[in-house]
Amino acid sequence: KQEVTQIPAALSVPEGENLVLNCSFTDSAIYNLQWFRQDPGKGLTSLLLIQSSQREQTSGRLNASLDKSSGRSTLYIAASQPGDSATYLCAEFSGAGSYQLTFGKGTKLSVIP
Amino acid sequence: EAQVTQNPRYLITVTGKKLTVTCSQNMNHEYMSWYRQDPGLGLRQIYYSMNVEVTDKGDVPEGYKVSRKEKRNFPLILESPSPNQTSLYFCASGLVGSDEKLFFGSGTQLSVL
């Protein structure tokens, strides 16, 4: 059974700070990894998807990296804003005929004005 | 507008009374899946479907049924709900083999008394 771990469970930073969220996974045959954002009482929004053949993806102030050999992914948020406050989840999508999605438990980010 | 629509948004029922949560997507996605989200346990996959008439178990399928008779719809059926199925449920859809970014519904909060 694959496992995805996110540390820390919660993070509080002052506005304007750059920050890194961490995700580790056990699946050596990972197909892709996605980072999601979840706001309270709402569904998940996909932020970035990294295929197993890629090293990183960027969208605006967000940059996600993937290191299959170490089983790690990071989400870098530049110049954080209060609107970035949310729970961030990573999920690994296994291929090889078993399209299961395994989520981490998330990091709750609070950006303080 | 591209979207995944779940209904109902909130549902309160009693033990043993069969219920169905509907999920529909308008993006012609092959892949659809159901998840439940519980405090401390995160998001766990219940069932997924790679296409019409193709379904497979996720991590926690016990007590649930699904069907995929049409590409756009993927209902979740609880034939005899129990209190331990009280949870927040999400449906998601995505493409297969290209950009597998997932789109999530807004969620269904189910309470089984």
Side-chain angles (χ1 to χ4, degrees):
Chain A
K1 185 178 182 303
Q2 309 304 340
E3 290 187 6
V4 177
T5 304
Q6 292 185 251
I7 297 174
L11 180 65
S12 184
V13 300
E15 181 177 1
E17 192 165 293
N18 302 327
L19 62 101
V20 174
L21 305 180
N22 296 297
C23 172
S24 60
F25 52 89
T26 59
D27 186 1
S28 60
I30 184 173
Y31 190 73
N32 65 44
L33 187 134
Q34 288 191 60
W35 283 92
F36 296 88
R37 170 186 173 134
Q38 184 175 26
D39 293 285
K42 298 199 175 175
L44 283 71
T45 301
S46 182
L47 298 172
L48 289 165
L49 179 149
I50 312 176
Q51 300 288 358
S52 60
S53 59
Q54 298 173 323
R55 295 282 294 182
E56 64 178 62
Q57 283 286 333
T58 298
S59 176
R61 294 183 294 108
L62 306 180
N63 175 276
S65 68
L66 177 65
D67 185 341
K68 283 181 60 178
S69 61
S70 66
R72 293 178 188 272
S73 176
T74 62
L75 179 67
Y76 174 83
I77 303 176
S80 58
Q81 304 170 357
D84 294 330
S85 298
T87 296
Y88 291 82
L89 300 108
C90 66
E92 71 98 0
F93 195 52
S94 64
S98 174
Y99 288 87
Q100 290 192 282
L101 192 69
T102 304
F103 280 86
K105 293 181 181 178
T107 294
K108 185 175 182 180
L109 174 65
S110 298
V111 181
I112 312 300
Chain B
E1 181 188 353
Q3 59 184 5
V4 177
T5 304
Q6 283 181 239
N7 281 299
R9 183 75 176 88
Y10 300 95
L11 180 58
I12 300 174
T13 190
V14 295
T15 299
K17 186 175 181 181
K18 181 179 179 179
L19 67 91
T20 299
V21 184
T22 63
C23 175
S24 179
Q25 49 94 4
N26 63 0
M27 295 166 279
N28 202 36
H29 286 162
E30 297 97 345
Y31 181 87
M32 297 187 75
S33 58
W34 277 101
Y35 307 87
R36 60 178 289 173
Q37 187 173 35
D38 302 287
L41 296 176
L43 273 151
R44 295 176 291 169
Q45 191 170 38
I46 303 171
Y47 270 96
Y48 63 94
S49 169
M50 298 301 295
N51 215 323
V52 176
E53 303 292 359
V54 180
T55 63
D56 210 342
K57 298 177 181 178
D59 293 321
V60 289
E62 295 78 19
Y64 304 95
K65 283 178 60 176
V66 293
S67 68
R68 188 93 183 271
K69 293 185 172 62
E70 306 166 280
K71 200 171 188 178
R72 63 181 291 125
N73 295 322
F74 191 46
L76 180 69
I77 303 158
L78 285 72
E79 298 224 326
S80 184
S82 62
N84 64 12
Q85 293 179 297
T86 292
S87 186
L88 178 59
Y89 291 86
F90 289 103
C91 177
S93 73
L95 293 171
V96 175
S98 56
D99 178 2
E100 290 92 356
K101 186 176 288 191
L102 288 184
F103 294 80
F104 277 75
S106 299
T108 295
Q109 180 64 58
L110 172 65
S111 297
V112 183
L113 306 178

